[in-house]
Each structure stands twice: as C-alpha cells, then as structure tokens.
Amino acid sequence: AQTVTQSQPEMSVQEAETVTLSCTYDTSESDYYLFWYKQPPSRQMILVIRQEAYKQQNATENRFSVNFQKAAKSFSLKISDSQLGDAAMYFCAYRSGGGGADGLTFGKGTHLIIQP
Amino acid sequence: NAGVTQTPKFRVLKTGQSMTLLCAQDMNHEYMYWYRQDPGMGLRLIHYSVGEGTTAKGEVPDGYNVSRLKKQNFLLGLESAAPSQTSVYFCASRGYRDRDHNEQFFGPGTRLTVL
C-alpha cells in the first residue's frame, strides 16, 4: 500500500514571502499521480495543483509550483508571494495510475498560517 | 451545474441509531467515492464505486455500507452508529473520460457526531 507523509504539521510565513510545504511518498509503482489540495476553514477540498509521474517537468499554476523528485519520492509545494487567502490546511495526495478507479491516499496535512 | 452535493450537512446521532448520507453529482461521472476525515488526519477512503450497481471497499470500510442504484447518486449507510464514526464525511466523483485530468471533485462534507 502507498503512504504519504507530510512532516510539517504547521508552517508560518509572512505575507508576500515564499513558503515550501514538504511531502514524501512511498510506492512501488511507476505510473501514478500526485496532488496538492487546499482545505480552508469552510472545509471545501480545492485542488491546487497536480503532477503526472511520467512528466519530468514540474507543474506550475500561477503562484503555486511543485518540486517533483521522482527518485527521492518527494513532492513539495512552493507558494510564492503568499496571500492571506492562502491560509488553510494543505494536503498532499497520491493516486495510482493505470486508468483504474483508485481513490486518493492523503497525508495528514500541513496547517499554513499567513502572518500579515 | 451544482457539482457534488451532500445531504445532510450536519447530523447528530445516538449510539446504535442508523442513518444514510446522500451524495449526488450532476457531471455524469462514472466513479464516486466516500471518505472520512478525522482531526489531525487526511481523508481516508471508505468505499468507492466504478459505476451504477457496483461498489468496492476502500481503506476503512468497517461499519459502513454503500449503494449506487443510480449513476448520479452514491449512498453511505451506518446501520448501528458508534462514537468512533464521529467524523466529517466527504463524497467525491471523477469522470472516466477525465482520466487525463485526474481531478476528483469533492462535495462540501457532512459533519456527523455520534453520542
């Protein structure tokens, strides 16, 4: 079974600065997908960014980018120019590839605090 | 287009009572999922469905049953609720034709308390 580990229960950053959230995973598969989800106090799960394991290029979505290190099984999220609205729980998630209906395996999350 | 909706949003049960959570999606998605989220934890998969009339167990299926009689609906049942089932429950769906995008769409969650 796959596991996802987020080693930072809480992170704090000043508004407008950059923060990096860590995620490592364990799998024996070569085809898989990785995700970062944001969960604000409203508890709605919002997809931030996704990465296909077969793609070497790191995914980027506006101020959000990932550092995907496949050999090291590491998938960190970088948030640039942090904004107050970025404050939330962030979850790293894994899904097997192969076109099946597998669900997501989540880490325990990182609580991100934005200091004004 | 409402996306994924869940009914109810909140519920309080007494130990031993039964209830059903309803999930509905209007995106014509084939795959549907039920997760639970406990404090300090990420979401964990309870059951999932690959299509109408089919269901499968996830990581934490004990104490729950599910049914998918219609493609757009996925029901989660608790036959005899226990305090350990106090949690926030999320439903999600994903389209087979969306496999290249791989996004699961989540409902707003149901907060369930079992006394």
Side-chain angles (χ1 to χ4, degrees), chain B residues 48-60:
Chain B
Y48 64 99
S49 169
V50 301
E52 188 176 322
T54 69
T55 63
K57 294 181 180 180
E59 179 187 353
V60 288

Side-chain angles (χ1 to χ4, degrees), chain B residues 50-102:
Chain B
V50 301
E52 188 176 322
T54 69
T55 63
K57 294 181 180 180
E59 179 187 353
V60 288
D62 293 343
Y64 304 95
N65 57 76
V66 288
S67 64
R68 187 134 178 238
L69 300 179
K70 295 181 179 180
K71 185 178 183 179
Q72 64 267 33
N73 294 340
F74 194 28
L75 279 63
L76 177 71
L78 286 72
E79 289 187 350
S80 179
S84 61
Q85 294 178 303
T86 293
S87 190
V88 178
Y89 292 85
F90 287 93
C91 178
S93 71
R94 179 166 70 89
Y96 175 78
R97 292 178 184 81
D98 294 335
R99 60 189 291 182
D100 291 334
H101 301 282
N102 292 293

Side-chain angles (χ1 to χ4, degrees), chain A residues 7-110:
Chain A
S7 58
Q8 305 154 316
E10 187 172 280
M11 292 283 285
S12 181
V13 64
Q14 291 290 128
E15 193 177 2
E17 297 199 339
T18 296
V19 64
T20 298
L21 308 184
S22 300
C23 172
T24 59
Y25 58 95
D26 187 25
T27 184
S28 58
E29 299 174 333
S30 59
D31 182 17
Y32 53 87
Y33 304 89
L34 296 164
F35 307 84
W36 278 98
Y37 279 87
K38 172 185 178 181
Q39 187 180 44
S42 67
R43 77 175 178 230
Q44 180 68 49
M45 296 294 288
I46 302 166
L47 179 64
V48 174
I49 199 164
R50 68 172 69 85
Q51 175 80 43
E52 292 86 347
Y54 63 84
K55 290 186 178 178
Q56 293 186 340
Q57 187 173 7
N58 289 326
T60 299
E61 290 285 344
N62 300 313
R63 297 183 295 108
F64 299 87
S65 61
V66 298
N67 183 5
F68 173 48
Q69 301 289 328
K70 190 172 184 178
K73 296 180 183 176
S74 171
F75 182 61
S76 61
L77 175 69
K78 186 171 82 170
I79 306 174
S80 303
D81 186 24
S82 298
Q83 300 176 359
L84 294 177
D86 295 334
M89 285 293 295
Y90 285 82
F91 292 96
C92 179
Y94 172 103
R95 188 178 79 77
S96 295
D102 299 62
L104 297 169
T105 299
F106 285 86
K108 292 185 176 182
T110 297

Side-chain angles (χ1 to χ4, degrees), chain B residues 15 18 35 38 60 69 82 101 105 114:
Chain B
T15 296
S18 63
Y35 295 88
D38 300 306
V60 288
L69 300 179
H101 301 282
F105 293 83
V114 183

